Amino acid sequence: MAAPSFAVVSGAQVQRALAGDPAAVLDVVADAYRLHGSGRTVNPPSYFLRFPDRPSARIIALPASVGGDGAVDGIKWISSFPENVATGLPRASAVLVLNDPATGYPFACLESSIISATRTAASAALAADRLTRGWAAQGRPRPARVGFVGAGLIARYVHTYLAGTGWQFDEVGIHDLDPDHARQWRDYLTGSGYTGPVTLHDDADSLIRASDLVVFATVAPAPHVHDPDLFGHAPLVLHLSLRDLSPEIILASTNVVDDVDHCLTAATSPHLAEQAVGHRDFVHATLYDVLTGDFRPPVDRPLVFSPFGLGVLDLAVGRYVHDRAAAAGDLTAIDDFFHELGRYGNRGAPCR
């Protein structure tokens, strides 16, 4: 019996596999959402490992299974240590393990901070595209002024995926609690070819008022934006960090989530809204409903997309990366990773 293969895929290999075709990655993410919405995935609740002596830190396990032509099982193990930023390290680090659905054997371990950021950005860009198509059908133009609350890695990836899938902006706004991070994000934008104005905002309130599309990409543990009147111009809000908005803002908005049960947990803003009113009627649709055409958002209310971040997306993008790397001859195999394959040792008969 041949030993199952096992490969380790580095961050550099992941980046090479994902480079140059954001539209293809959006298709992978859209297909994963369709599989999830049609019941062809398994996505248990995430498990949060927390530390009494490090309350800001956590490590999250996201097990999942994806059906369809690219069927794969697996788990993402992702840490969030916000204190890293002060030392120059990124906040998040992650690995993704892919398992063969036929045997259960893992066949790859991939560096996954890039995959995680990519699936988050692709999910955001997909939602922005499909939700604003619904607006366009009702005569409202696509947003032309984008504002980022939080100037970290996720903000950079979201901008990359928006720009890479056809978005053009007349103005970019940036707010970060660390003004130096905001300046670095501005310098990155201008250095990457964006030629429009970039405005640094001293507070989130002024950025929200000045933006038709607002991207929250922070590490906020609790709501810090409380005034529903800030959203009186009915912007599209990509609420990626999930805990920025007060329940009052959520309740005054049209709300789209990726998965209702997942999103309304773990003290997210929608979860707090549910606790405040005792029901979930303020959740109007899932992204699957948008993709299938079953939901068209109104144009006269703030439109908030709150994705919890499903493990099935990581698996789908991870499988895409693995297969692209394999096709390019860019996999690093670990010989003899699985060693004890016989019932009586490697010289004995295979286990049955």
Side-chain angles (χ1 to χ4, degrees), residues 28-338:
V28 170
V29 169
D31 288 344
Y33 275 125
R34 291 189 183 97
L35 289 167
H36 185 66
S38 60
R40 300 176 68 189
T41 66
V42 180
N43 203 108
S46 303
Y47 180 81
F48 288 71
L49 177 62
R50 301 185 185 274
F51 312 97
D53 59 331
R54 291 158 285 163
S56 68
R58 62 190 183 186
I59 307 179
I60 311 171
L62 289 83
S65 175
V66 179
D69 295 337
V72 64
D73 307 328
I75 188 168
K76 180 173 75 169
W77 181 241
I78 182 166
S79 68
S80 175
F81 279 54
E83 306 304 323
N84 285 353
V85 175
T87 67
L89 276 176
R91 170 186 62 86
S93 60
V95 294
L96 178 69
V97 176
L98 304 180
N99 293 74
D100 177 3
T103 66
Y105 271 79
F107 60 87
C109 179
L110 300 86
E111 196 286 328
S112 199
S113 65
I114 296 171
I115 290 172
S116 187
T118 295
R119 63 86 151 147
T120 299
S123 171
L126 176 69
D129 176 60
R130 299 308 173 89
L131 289 167
T132 55
R133 286 188 196 183
W135 275 357
Q138 301 172 76
R140 179 168 176 176
R142 176 178 268 197
R145 301 173 301 164
V146 63
F148 291 88
V149 182
L153 179 74
I154 297 300
R156 173 163 65 88
Y157 269 75
V158 170
H159 180 270
T160 296
Y161 268 78
L162 289 171
T165 52
W167 286 78
Q168 295 179 340
F169 298 108
D170 296 336
E171 182 178 354
V172 175
I174 303 169
H175 168 66
D176 195 281
L177 292 178
D178 187 326
D180 189 50
H181 291 166
R183 287 189 292 269
Q184 290 179 45
W185 174 221
R186 176 196 59 196
D187 294 344
Y188 165 79
L189 281 176
T190 56
S192 65
Y194 175 72
T195 57
V198 180
T199 303
L200 302 185
H201 291 262
D202 293 332
D203 54 71
D205 291 5
S206 64
L207 179 143
I208 293 165
R209 289 193 176 98
S211 304
D212 309 310
L213 170 59
V214 183
V215 181
F216 283 95
T218 75
V219 293
H224 57 97
V225 180
H226 298 277
D227 186 0
D229 289 343
L230 294 172
F231 302 85
H233 56 302
L236 171 60
V237 180
L238 302 178
H239 187 212
L240 307 182
S241 34
L242 287 174
R243 296 172 177 84
D244 302 272
L245 305 178
S246 69
E248 292 77 14
I249 293 170
I250 294 293
L251 295 172
S253 302
T254 299
N255 291 283
V256 177
V257 300
D258 54 358
D259 181 286
V260 177
D261 290 334
H262 283 269
C263 191
L264 273 68
T265 188
T268 65
S269 294
H271 188 206
L272 297 179
E274 179 191 25
Q275 292 175 330
V277 297
H279 61 74
R280 297 179 170 186
D281 295 347
F282 57 87
V283 178
H284 299 88
T286 66
L287 186 53
Y288 175 73
D289 299 323
V290 178
L291 293 174
T292 59
D294 290 339
F295 177 76
R296 178 183 292 182
V299 299
D300 57 349
R301 303 182 76 204
L303 177 56
V304 179
F305 175 57
S306 299
F308 191 77
L310 302 175
V312 295
L313 302 183
D314 295 284
L315 288 188
V317 174
R319 182 71 195 238
Y320 171 82
V321 167
H322 174 272
D323 293 350
R324 293 260 297 185
D330 199 20
L331 285 182
T332 303
I334 307 299
D335 294 333
D336 296 329
F337 184 83
F338 300 106

